Amino acid sequence: MLFPTVLALQPPLTTFGNQLIDAQGVPVHLHCIAWSGAHEKSYLTYGIENQPLPDLVSKIANAGFNCVRFQFSAELVRLNPIIDPKLLGPNPQLVNKTGLEIYDAIVQELSSKQIMTILDYHQMDAVVCCSPLDENGAWFNDRYSFDQVRDLMQAMVSRHKSNPWVIGIDLRNEIRPMIDFATIFGLSVPNPLTAFLPVWGLGGKWDWARAAEQLGNAALDINPDLLIIVQGFYQIQLKEVWTWFRHNNGDSCRKPRIPQVIKKSFIDRYPVTLNVKNRLVYSCHTYEFFHDFDYFNLTYEDWKKEADLYWGDVAKMNIPFFLGEFGVDHNPTAVHSDFFQYVVRYIEETKINWAYWSFEGTYSPAPGGFCSAVNPLGYPEDRTKENGYGFLSLDYNNTASQDLLYELKRIMFK
Ligand SMILES: *[C@@H]1O[C@H](CO)[C@@H](O)[C@H](O)[C@H]1NC(C)=O
Ligand SMILES: *[C@@H]1O[C@H](CO)[C@@H](O)[C@H](O)[C@H]1NC(C)=O
Ligand SMILES: *[C@@H]1O[C@H](CO)[C@@H](O)[C@H](O)[C@H]1NC(C)=O
C-alpha cells in the first residue's frame, strides 16, 4: 500500500503567527512567480500570444512554483474589452473573449494544476509602469476616485470568490511619491501643490496604512477567506541620497535611487487591523536598482543590516511576510552577483514567502528615468522585446537560465 508523503495542499490559507497554514493546519511556504501583462494596454497576459495556455501553466508547475502573483489594473475591470484576436494565435479557444474572461481562464488553468493565485491590483490605468508622471503611484488619481478603486477591486474579488485556489489579494503595487510638473515660463518644474508623498498611519489622504485597511476590509466583505497583502512604499533614505551625491558626477538624469520600505517603526506606530482575524500579510519589494549604484558593494552582513532596516525587521514580527517582488537579469553574471546571491541567502535564512519577477519571456519596455518620462500615458506597447528578468526564454519554449532555476529551487521550501 502506498501512502502519500505529503498531504495535498488544501486552500484557503490563513495566518498563524509568522506562518501561513492551509485548511488542515499544515504550514505552507509561498514560492510564487509574477505573470504580468493583463495590467497593460492590450489587457492580455504575456505569453498567450506565444504558447498554448496549458503548456505555459505546465512550465510554472514543472519548475516548482506553487503560486502566481497575477497582475491586473482598474482599467481592465472597468472596460473589460474583447481582446485583439491577432494576439490569440496559439489559443483559439480564447478568441472573442474579454480581458477578464481570459484572466479567469488563466486562473482556472492554474487552479486545475493546484497552483494558487494572488490577485495583484497593480495599478489603475492600463499603462506600462512606472513613469514618475504616470499618476499611478497612489491608490487614486484624477481618473479613479478611491471609491471607484474599491468598487472595481470588489468586482474582481467577486469574480473569483468561489475558487479557493485564489488565496489572496495584493492591494496595490509599489506606492510611490508622485510629482506633477507645472509649466512656468515655458519650463517644466516640479509642482509642490500637486505632489503626493505616501505616509503610514498619520491620517489624511496620503495615509496608505489606513487606505489599505479600508481596501482590505472591502475585499474581506466579499470574500472573508482571502489573505490581504499590504505593501510598504517608496521612501527617500538620506543615506542613499548621500551616496548618490558623492558619485553623481554631474549627471542630471541620474536621480537618487529610492527603495521600497516597510519598517518595523511603521507597524509599531500603526498596525493595519482587519475585520477578519489571521488574514494580514505584510510585503515589500527589492531590486538592485532600488538602491544607489555602489550601495551593494557590501558584505552580506552589511547588506542584511540594511535589508532588515528597510523591510526585514517586519519579517521577524509575528505576522507573515511576503517578498512580493525581487528579480535579476537572467544572464549568469547577474544571477551570481552579490545582490541576487544575498537575497537568496536571506530567504534561505529567514524562510520568508516570495514571488520572483517574472515568468514571461517578453515584455514592453518603458523608456525609463526622469529624463525621458515625457508622455506618461502614451508609451507605445511593444510586446515582443526580450524580458531580461524573464524566467522563460524569448520564445517561451525554455527556461531562460538554468542558473536562475537552480537558485530559485534552493528557496522553494516544502
Ligand atoms: C468571433 O465573433 C465574430 C463576430 O461576432 C464571429 O464572426 C466569429 O465567428 C467569432 N469567432 C469565434 C472563433 O468564435
Ligand atoms: C567596491 O569594492 C572593491 C573591493 O573592495 C573596491 O576595489 C572598489 O573600488 C569598490 N567600488 C566602489 C564603487 O566603491
Ligand atoms: C517553440 O514552441 C512553439 C509552440 O509550442 C513551437 O511551435 C516551436 O517550434 C518551438 N520552437 C523551438 C525553437 O523549439
Side-chain angles (χ1 to χ4, degrees), residues 40 43 123 130 200 297 304-305 341:
E40 290 178 356
Y43 309 100
Q123 55 198 31
C130 310
W200 189 277
N297 201 0
K304 189 174 160 187
K305 233 182 272 169
Q341 291 298 314

Side-chain angles (χ1 to χ4, degrees), residues 337-376:
S337 66
D338 283 349
F339 166 74
F340 196 69
Q341 291 298 314
Y342 289 173
V343 177
V344 169
R345 182 166 162 196
Y346 193 93
I347 295 172
E348 260 185 324
E349 288 177 6
T350 57
K351 307 281 188 292
I352 52 177
N353 302 287
W354 54 265
Y356 182 80
W357 182 277
S358 57
F359 175 60
E360 57 275 5
T362 52
Y363 85 131
S364 274
F370 265 91
C371 285
S372 57
V374 284
N375 192 10

